[in-house]
PDB file of all heavy atoms in Angstrom:
ATOM      1  N   ALA U  36       1.097  15.677 -11.174  1.00  0.00           N
ATOM      2  CA  ALA U  36       1.462  14.620 -10.258  1.00  0.00           C
ATOM      3  C   ALA U  36       0.572  14.959  -8.996  1.00  0.00           C
ATOM      4  O   ALA U  36       0.841  15.931  -8.274  1.00  0.00           O
ATOM      5  CB  ALA U  36       2.944  14.781  -9.863  1.00  0.00           C
ATOM      6  N   LYS U  38       0.213  12.605  -6.591  1.00  0.00           N
ATOM      7  CA  LYS U  38       0.729  11.649  -5.641  1.00  0.00           C
ATOM      8  C   LYS U  38       0.811  12.230  -4.271  1.00  0.00           C
ATOM      9  O   LYS U  38       0.782  13.401  -4.071  1.00  0.00           O
ATOM     10  CB  LYS U  38       2.120  11.033  -6.023  1.00  0.00           C
ATOM     11  CG  LYS U  38       3.169  12.027  -6.090  1.00  0.00           C
ATOM     12  CD  LYS U  38       4.489  11.608  -6.747  1.00  0.00           C
ATOM     13  CE  LYS U  38       5.461  12.710  -6.777  1.00  0.00           C
ATOM     14  NZ  LYS U  38       6.697  12.293  -7.349  1.00  0.00           N
ATOM     15  N   TYR U  42       0.420  16.215  -2.933  1.00  0.00           N
ATOM     16  CA  TYR U  42       1.386  16.953  -2.099  1.00  0.00           C
ATOM     17  C   TYR U  42       0.705  17.578  -0.895  1.00  0.00           C
ATOM     18  O   TYR U  42       0.903  18.742  -0.547  1.00  0.00           O
ATOM     19  CB  TYR U  42       2.159  18.005  -2.912  1.00  0.00           C
ATOM     20  CG  TYR U  42       3.087  17.557  -3.991  1.00  0.00           C
ATOM     21  CD1 TYR U  42       2.652  16.496  -4.746  1.00  0.00           C
ATOM     22  CD2 TYR U  42       4.277  18.191  -4.305  1.00  0.00           C
ATOM     23  CE1 TYR U  42       3.517  16.056  -5.839  1.00  0.00           C
ATOM     24  CE2 TYR U  42       5.043  17.834  -5.374  1.00  0.00           C
ATOM     25  CZ  TYR U  42       4.718  16.691  -6.165  1.00  0.00           C
ATOM     26  OH  TYR U  42       5.414  16.248  -7.182  1.00  0.00           O
ATOM     27  N   LEU U  84       3.416   5.831 -10.981  1.00  0.00           N
ATOM     28  CA  LEU U  84       4.726   6.035 -11.164  1.00  0.00           C
ATOM     29  C   LEU U  84       5.669   5.065 -10.496  1.00  0.00           C
ATOM     30  O   LEU U  84       6.760   4.760 -10.864  1.00  0.00           O
ATOM     31  CB  LEU U  84       5.222   7.524 -10.687  1.00  0.00           C
ATOM     32  CG  LEU U  84       4.654   8.648 -11.332  1.00  0.00           C
ATOM     33  CD1 LEU U  84       4.854   9.874 -10.604  1.00  0.00           C
ATOM     34  CD2 LEU U  84       5.216   8.839 -12.798  1.00  0.00           C
ATOM     35  N   LYS U 125       9.681   2.689 -18.185  1.00  0.00           N
ATOM     36  CA  LYS U 125      10.555   3.773 -17.506  1.00  0.00           C
ATOM     37  C   LYS U 125      11.962   3.467 -17.975  1.00  0.00           C
ATOM     38  O   LYS U 125      12.513   2.307 -17.892  1.00  0.00           O
ATOM     39  CB  LYS U 125      10.526   3.571 -16.008  1.00  0.00           C
ATOM     40  CG  LYS U 125      11.337   4.513 -15.263  1.00  0.00           C
ATOM     41  CD  LYS U 125      10.587   5.897 -15.173  1.00  0.00           C
ATOM     42  CE  LYS U 125      11.459   6.994 -14.327  1.00  0.00           C
ATOM     43  NZ  LYS U 125      11.199   7.002 -12.922  1.00  0.00           N
ATOM     44  N   ARG U 132      17.560   5.363 -10.507  1.00  0.00           N
ATOM     45  CA  ARG U 132      16.586   4.957  -9.543  1.00  0.00           C
ATOM     46  C   ARG U 132      15.803   3.848 -10.195  1.00  0.00           C
ATOM     47  O   ARG U 132      16.293   2.716 -10.366  1.00  0.00           O
ATOM     48  CB  ARG U 132      15.711   6.170  -9.290  1.00  0.00           C
ATOM     49  CG  ARG U 132      14.759   5.984  -8.035  1.00  0.00           C
ATOM     50  CD  ARG U 132      14.174   7.258  -7.657  1.00  0.00           C
ATOM     51  NE  ARG U 132      13.186   7.902  -8.673  1.00  0.00           N
ATOM     52  CZ  ARG U 132      12.449   8.964  -8.432  1.00  0.00           C
ATOM     53  NH1 ARG U 132      12.453   9.506  -7.281  1.00  0.00           N
ATOM     54  NH2 ARG U 132      11.707   9.504  -9.476  1.00  0.00           N
ATOM     55  N   PHE U 158       8.916   6.843 -20.553  1.00  0.00           N
ATOM     56  CA  PHE U 158       9.292   8.177 -19.940  1.00  0.00           C
ATOM     57  C   PHE U 158      10.678   7.910 -19.212  1.00  0.00           C
ATOM     58  O   PHE U 158      11.147   6.824 -18.925  1.00  0.00           O
ATOM     59  CB  PHE U 158       8.206   8.591 -19.074  1.00  0.00           C
ATOM     60  CG  PHE U 158       7.990   7.879 -17.825  1.00  0.00           C
ATOM     61  CD1 PHE U 158       8.386   8.399 -16.612  1.00  0.00           C
ATOM     62  CD2 PHE U 158       7.358   6.633 -17.865  1.00  0.00           C
ATOM     63  CE1 PHE U 158       8.035   7.770 -15.361  1.00  0.00           C
ATOM     64  CE2 PHE U 158       7.035   6.153 -16.592  1.00  0.00           C
ATOM     65  CZ  PHE U 158       7.387   6.663 -15.386  1.00  0.00           C
ATOM     66  N   HIS U 160      13.108  10.327 -15.998  1.00  0.00           N
ATOM     67  CA  HIS U 160      12.962  11.363 -15.028  1.00  0.00           C
ATOM     68  C   HIS U 160      14.397  12.057 -14.830  1.00  0.00           C
ATOM     69  O   HIS U 160      15.369  11.443 -14.814  1.00  0.00           O
ATOM     70  CB  HIS U 160      12.600  10.727 -13.701  1.00  0.00           C
ATOM     71  CG  HIS U 160      12.081  11.743 -12.645  1.00  0.00           C
ATOM     72  ND1 HIS U 160      11.262  12.759 -12.834  1.00  0.00           N
ATOM     73  CD2 HIS U 160      12.457  11.881 -11.315  1.00  0.00           C
ATOM     74  CE1 HIS U 160      11.017  13.469 -11.740  1.00  0.00           C
ATOM     75  NE2 HIS U 160      11.820  12.999 -10.802  1.00  0.00           N
ATOM     76  N   ALA U 195       9.460  17.151 -15.557  1.00  0.00           N
ATOM     77  CA  ALA U 195       8.704  17.455 -14.297  1.00  0.00           C
ATOM     78  C   ALA U 195       8.655  18.928 -14.305  1.00  0.00           C
ATOM     79  O   ALA U 195       9.014  19.685 -15.214  1.00  0.00           O
ATOM     80  CB  ALA U 195       9.320  16.736 -13.121  1.00  0.00           C
ATOM     81  N   SER U 196       8.361  19.498 -13.062  1.00  0.00           N
ATOM     82  CA  SER U 196       8.271  20.950 -12.963  1.00  0.00           C
ATOM     83  C   SER U 196       9.540  21.730 -13.405  1.00  0.00           C
ATOM     84  O   SER U 196       9.510  22.657 -14.201  1.00  0.00           O
ATOM     85  CB  SER U 196       7.893  21.343 -11.470  1.00  0.00           C
ATOM     86  OG  SER U 196       6.722  20.819 -11.122  1.00  0.00           O
ATOM     87  N   GLN U 197      10.666  21.335 -12.716  1.00  0.00           N
ATOM     88  CA  GLN U 197      11.914  22.022 -13.107  1.00  0.00           C
ATOM     89  C   GLN U 197      12.305  21.921 -14.579  1.00  0.00           C
ATOM     90  O   GLN U 197      12.677  22.800 -15.252  1.00  0.00           O
ATOM     91  CB  GLN U 197      13.052  21.411 -12.223  1.00  0.00           C
ATOM     92  CG  GLN U 197      13.099  21.986 -10.839  1.00  0.00           C
ATOM     93  CD  GLN U 197      13.159  23.581 -10.822  1.00  0.00           C
ATOM     94  OE1 GLN U 197      13.996  24.173 -11.478  1.00  0.00           O
ATOM     95  NE2 GLN U 197      12.060  24.118 -10.189  1.00  0.00           N
ATOM     96  N   ARG U 211       4.958  16.232 -16.442  1.00  0.00           N
ATOM     97  CA  ARG U 211       4.412  15.655 -15.190  1.00  0.00           C
ATOM     98  C   ARG U 211       4.776  16.708 -14.077  1.00  0.00           C
ATOM     99  O   ARG U 211       5.604  16.494 -13.150  1.00  0.00           O
ATOM    100  CB  ARG U 211       5.195  14.296 -14.866  1.00  0.00           C
ATOM    101  CG  ARG U 211       4.999  13.298 -15.861  1.00  0.00           C
ATOM    102  CD  ARG U 211       5.726  11.975 -15.494  1.00  0.00           C
ATOM    103  NE  ARG U 211       7.169  12.177 -15.055  1.00  0.00           N
ATOM    104  CZ  ARG U 211       8.221  12.060 -15.849  1.00  0.00           C
ATOM    105  NH1 ARG U 211       8.209  11.722 -17.048  1.00  0.00           N
ATOM    106  NH2 ARG U 211       9.365  12.337 -15.336  1.00  0.00           N
ATOM    107  N   VAL U 212       3.822  17.625 -13.923  1.00  0.00           N
ATOM    108  CA  VAL U 212       4.156  18.800 -13.036  1.00  0.00           C
ATOM    109  C   VAL U 212       3.468  18.504 -11.671  1.00  0.00           C
ATOM    110  O   VAL U 212       2.287  18.224 -11.581  1.00  0.00           O
ATOM    111  CB  VAL U 212       3.668  20.078 -13.562  1.00  0.00           C
ATOM    112  CG1 VAL U 212       4.506  20.546 -14.635  1.00  0.00           C
ATOM    113  CG2 VAL U 212       2.114  20.032 -14.025  1.00  0.00           C
ATOM    114  N   GLY U 213       4.267  18.682 -10.619  1.00  0.00           N
ATOM    115  CA  GLY U 213       3.797  18.546  -9.264  1.00  0.00           C
ATOM    116  C   GLY U 213       4.016  19.962  -8.598  1.00  0.00           C
ATOM    117  O   GLY U 213       3.155  20.752  -8.645  1.00  0.00           O
ATOM    118  N   LEU U 214       5.211  20.236  -8.059  1.00  0.00           N
ATOM    119  CA  LEU U 214       5.456  21.364  -7.278  1.00  0.00           C
ATOM    120  C   LEU U 214       4.994  22.705  -7.956  1.00  0.00           C
ATOM    121  O   LEU U 214       4.414  23.547  -7.292  1.00  0.00           O
ATOM    122  CB  LEU U 214       6.917  21.417  -7.062  1.00  0.00           C
ATOM    123  CG  LEU U 214       7.339  22.341  -5.855  1.00  0.00           C
ATOM    124  CD1 LEU U 214       6.674  21.973  -4.541  1.00  0.00           C
ATOM    125  CD2 LEU U 214       8.814  22.440  -5.772  1.00  0.00           C
ATOM    126  N   ALA U 215       5.204  22.765  -9.279  1.00  0.00           N
ATOM    127  CA  ALA U 215       4.738  23.979  -9.986  1.00  0.00           C
ATOM    128  C   ALA U 215       3.295  24.203 -10.025  1.00  0.00           C
ATOM    129  O   ALA U 215       2.880  25.337  -9.786  1.00  0.00           O
ATOM    130  CB  ALA U 215       5.299  23.968 -11.370  1.00  0.00           C
ATOM    131  N   ASN U 341       8.426  20.264  -1.089  1.00  0.00           N
ATOM    132  CA  ASN U 341       7.679  18.964  -1.419  1.00  0.00           C
ATOM    133  C   ASN U 341       7.541  18.207  -0.090  1.00  0.00           C
ATOM    134  O   ASN U 341       6.576  17.560   0.062  1.00  0.00           O
ATOM    135  CB  ASN U 341       8.530  18.167  -2.357  1.00  0.00           C
ATOM    136  CG  ASN U 341       8.954  18.754  -3.543  1.00  0.00           C
ATOM    137  OD1 ASN U 341       9.252  19.973  -3.536  1.00  0.00           O
ATOM    138  ND2 ASN U 341       8.972  18.093  -4.640  1.00  0.00           N
TER     139      ASN U 341
HETATM  140  C1  LIG A 401       6.993  13.370  -8.221  1.00  0.00           C
HETATM  141  C2  LIG A 401       7.348  13.197  -9.629  1.00  0.00           C
HETATM  142  C3  LIG A 401       7.189  14.177 -10.576  1.00  0.00           C
HETATM  143  C4  LIG A 401       6.652  15.568 -10.344  1.00  0.00           C
HETATM  144  O1  LIG A 401       7.869  16.260  -9.741  1.00  0.00           O
HETATM  145  P1  LIG A 401       7.809  17.839  -9.465  1.00  0.00           P
HETATM  146  O2  LIG A 401       9.208  18.176  -9.240  1.00  0.00           O
HETATM  147  O3  LIG A 401       7.025  18.059  -8.187  1.00  0.00           O
HETATM  148  O4  LIG A 401       7.198  18.524 -10.569  1.00  0.00           O
HETATM  149  C5  LIG A 401       7.410  13.872 -11.946  1.00  0.00           C
HETATM  150  N1  LIG A 401       7.923  12.632 -12.291  1.00  0.00           N
HETATM  151  C6  LIG A 401       8.088  11.647 -11.362  1.00  0.00           C
HETATM  152  C7  LIG A 401       8.700  10.345 -11.949  1.00  0.00           C
HETATM  153  C8  LIG A 401       7.880  11.922 -10.038  1.00  0.00           C
HETATM  154  O5  LIG A 401       8.176  10.920  -9.176  1.00  0.00           O
END
Side-chain angles (χ1 to χ4, degrees):
K38 61 191 184 183
Y42 296 38
L84 295 169
K125 181 81 182 271
R132 191 172 62 174
F158 71 107
H160 193 49
S196 295
Q197 280 305 304
R211 304 182 307 266
V212 288
L214 197 60
N341 309 37

